[in-house]
Amino acid sequence: MDIEVCMPDIGMKCAEVIEVLVQVGDKVIKEDGLVSIESHKSVLEIPSPVSGIIKNIYVKIGDTISVNKLMMIIAESCDKNNLIKTNKINNNCIVNSADQLNINNSINSDNNYQDKEIYASPIVRRMARKLNINLLDIAGSGRKGCVTKEDITKYNTIHNDINIYNTKDILVKQDNLKNKNDDPEYQLLTGIQKISGSRLLNNWKNIPHVTQFDETDITELEDFRKLYNSRNLANKNFQKISLLSFIVKSVVHVLLKYPRFNSVLDVNKNSIILNKNINIGIAVDTQDGLLVPVLKNLKYKNVSEISYEIFDLANKAKNNQLSVLEMQGGSFTISSLGGIGGTGFTPIINAPESCILGISKATIKPIWINNKFRPRLMLPFSLSYDHRVIDGADGARFTNFLGLLLSDIRTLLV
Ligand code: CAO
């Protein structure tokens, strides 16, 4: 039996066709998307009322159609099993009709993008979610910048094919050496890992990173810190001051001298916005993944206060007690792996910030001083910066000055 599919009443007199999702001869199952139309700055998908074969299409992209206008004729079919199979082959993003119903509902629940006026049909949004793609990263090629299925496929091929290839390849290799007990174990990513993973990927892809490596002599700083901590041990309320708090205090000093390192690049306005507050995020390693609580208004805080705050926020992070507010508002980030190890690494910038400082493990090294090798405690550190904001020469000036402050903390006072 032939079924006429007409434009439903969606509360508007007429709407524009953004995408025609099927062709004559296509097999569809009930609830499959047929046409995407523009409605109140969002995209709505008209689902198929029956399973069958598309017989005629009377609309095309760009048409303005009014309520009750005939859009398609579908020859209804009863052989649903066959249709479901065909659909699986033709489009590996459509798995079954129940999933398809979810797609149609997603237009209302997908708040992430609604404010930003992204044009994409529910099926495209679902594809993007499944592939962990942020629609904001894609310039839609469809009408009115609508993101199409092809845009998603193309983006995914360019950005993620290495990932897909590697996984398959590893599994095939493992299959050849098969020993039943050695079947791979799948560990699901935690929520934090999923969110931070996609942010890290975007930041790595979109920001031209340069990493400047340096090291500085912290022998005297550590002598002073240990002495200060040991002198105060008897005091019950005393919170020992950490090496990291001196690093934070020194970075604040450097940022006051070189404010561009405490800025945000506004690409749309071709400007660099210099932050007036110095708020430093500290990367904290937790059981569920990386969290970055932010130390606020650091211009006015001394080393003890900073040390106490790091201790407090790191504890909260590790016990899953951070509030959203405590993780917002950063203007610069420090990632310290010094307590764990390593001689150097390239930290990834935490956008929209422009820089991130990585701290590695301090070790005793022979340093040539006054015609003699002397054992000195050397701290390696690395500064990754957005090369659109910072020049290489300035990057080296930053690390020089930071090194100077840490090697002689009296400089912090002048
Ligand atoms: N070199 C050598 N030793 C160091 C050091 C350094 N740079 N930094 C710390 N240490 C040693 C010190 O001996 C310290 O003990 P004392 O202060 O008593 O001497 C000990 O390590 C413990 O330090 P800590 O790391 O627990 O404390 P912290 O204040 O230095 O750091 C925090 C706190 C939150 C940064 C840390 O717990 C943490 O989570 N680090 C990991 C961050 C991370 O994962 N970054 C990677 C992000 S990219 O994936």
Side-chain angles (χ1 to χ4, degrees):
M1 190 172 114
D2 285 356
I3 303 291
E4 292 188 341
V5 182
C6 297
M7 170 72 177
D9 186 352
I10 57 161
M12 293 166 68
K13 277 189 188 153
C14 50
E16 190 179 325
V17 175
I18 295 286
E19 204 179 351
V20 179
L21 302 163
V22 289
Q23 292 175 358
V24 171
D26 277 0
K27 291 174 178 178
V28 289
I29 50 174
K30 193 176 170 182
E31 304 293 347
D32 267 358
L34 299 175
V35 175
S36 296
I37 53 164
E38 184 185 26
S39 106
H40 302 296
K41 298 206 164 171
S42 64
V43 176
L44 207 72
E45 208 169 271
I46 309 295
S48 176
V50 292
S51 299
I53 294 171
I54 306 291
K55 212 169 160 187
N56 289 96
I57 300 177
Y58 301 105
V59 290
K60 60 181 187 317
I61 295 175
D63 283 357
T64 301
I65 47 176
S66 49
V67 178
N68 290 331
K69 151 102 180 141
L70 177 64
M71 294 194 294
M72 289 185 194
I73 292 180
I74 301 176
E76 190 178 10
S77 152
C78 302
D79 187 5
K80 286 180 188 167
N81 288 338
N82 182 33
L83 288 169
I84 289 168
K85 265 187 215 150
T86 315
N87 243 311
K88 273 189 178 171
I89 293 161
N90 284 347
N91 183 345
N92 52 19
C93 278
I94 297 175
V95 181
N96 58 44
S97 57
D99 262 355
Q100 188 63 36
L101 282 169
N102 292 336
I103 297 166
N104 291 325
N105 290 336
S106 75
I107 188 79
N108 293 322
S109 59
D110 196 358
N111 291 327
N112 279 349
Y113 302 120
Q114 269 183 353
D115 300 348
K116 301 187 173 122
E117 291 184 20
I118 286 193
Y119 285 83
S121 66
I123 196 166
V124 166
R125 284 166 194 270
R126 181 164 173 266
M127 264 177 94
R129 265 198 302 275
K130 223 174 163 179
L131 295 167
N132 206 10
I133 291 172
N134 186 343
L135 286 176
L136 287 169
D137 291 342
I138 301 180
S141 65
R143 190 161 171 86
K144 296 201 168 185
C146 182
V147 181
T148 63
K149 283 194 236 172
E150 288 70 34
D151 292 333
I152 298 270
T153 312
K154 200 167 146 195
Y155 183 92
N156 191 48
T157 312
I158 294 169
H159 292 86
N160 287 335
D161 55 351
I162 298 165
N163 200 358
I164 292 161
Y165 168 79
N166 281 348
T167 316
K168 273 190 197 154
D169 205 38
I170 290 162
L171 291 179
V172 168
K173 276 186 191 147
Q174 286 184 352
D175 231 35
N176 295 340
L177 309 165
K178 200 122 183 143
N179 170 350
K180 271 282 163 214
N181 296 329
D182 292 341
D183 277 351
E185 178 191 332
Y186 288 82
Q187 293 190 338
L188 285 180
L189 294 177
T190 64
I192 294 173
Q193 283 168 335
K194 276 192 266 181
I195 294 167
S196 65
S198 106
R199 289 201 63 193
L200 288 167
L201 178 65
N202 279 331
N203 294 343
W204 184 247
K205 278 186 327 208
N206 296 325
I207 302 174
H209 281 67
V210 175
T211 305
Q212 173 80 21
F213 292 87
D214 209 337
E215 63 176 3
T216 190
D217 185 340
I218 56 164
T219 315
E220 273 148 33
L221 164 53
E222 276 298 81
D223 286 347
F224 167 73
R225 188 177 74 88
K226 284 186 176 144
L227 184 68
Y228 183 86
N229 283 341
S230 64
R231 271 193 200 143
N232 288 285
L233 268 184
N235 179 351
K236 264 195 213 155
N237 298 323
F238 175 70
Q239 167 67 50
K240 73 167 191 177
I241 46 173
S242 64
L243 172 59
L244 188 54
S245 54
F246 278 100
I247 296 171
V248 170
K249 182 71 188 169
S250 306
V251 168
V252 173
H253 224 68
V254 185
L255 294 177
L256 287 170
K257 183 166 177 180
Y258 299 115
R260 226 174 150 102
F261 290 80
N262 194 44
S263 71
V264 170
L265 174 67
D266 186 337
V267 180
N268 295 328
K269 292 189 180 151
N270 285 320
S271 355
I272 289 161
I273 305 161
L274 303 179
N275 286 308
K276 291 294 169 197
N277 280 329
I278 297 181
N279 299 335
I280 298 185
I282 302 291
V284 180
D285 176 38
T286 77
Q287 257 189 345
D288 293 330
L290 187 69
L291 285 174
V292 188
V294 178
L295 306 162
K296 307 256 168 65
N297 294 321
L298 286 165
K299 267 191 266 185
Y300 311 106
K301 289 182 181 160
N302 63 33
V303 173
S304 298
E305 289 167 324
I306 293 171
S307 194
Y308 180 80
E309 267 193 49
I310 295 175
F311 178 79
D312 183 46
L313 288 175
N315 266 342
K316 279 190 184 169
K318 287 178 182 180
N319 295 314
N320 212 2
Q321 289 169 340
L322 282 176
S323 68
V324 175
L325 216 63
E326 283 167 323
M327 290 193 281
Q328 284 176 344
S331 56
F332 187 98
T333 297
I334 299 180
S335 172
S336 173
L337 291 173
I340 304 168
T343 53
F345 65 104
T346 51
I348 298 176
I349 295 166
N350 189 13
E353 296 165 21
S354 301
C355 306
I356 180 166
L357 181 72
I359 305 292
S360 298
K361 189 176 179 63
T363 51
I364 304 276
K365 284 187 180 176
I367 302 294
W368 189 250
I369 302 170
N370 293 337
N371 293 326
K372 251 190 172 176
F373 276 114
R374 293 170 200 272
R376 307 293 292 177
L377 183 61
M378 301 301 291
L379 176 76
F381 58 96
S382 43
L383 175 82
S384 292
Y385 56 84
D386 183 337
H387 209 352
R388 295 169 299 178
V389 179
I390 313 281
D391 291 334
D394 284 335
R397 283 185 193 106
F398 180 108
T399 54
N400 276 349
F401 189 42
L402 179 62
L404 176 75
L405 293 171
L406 291 168
S407 65
D408 187 351
I409 48 166
R410 290 171 305 179
T411 325
L412 284 171
L413 300 171
V414 290

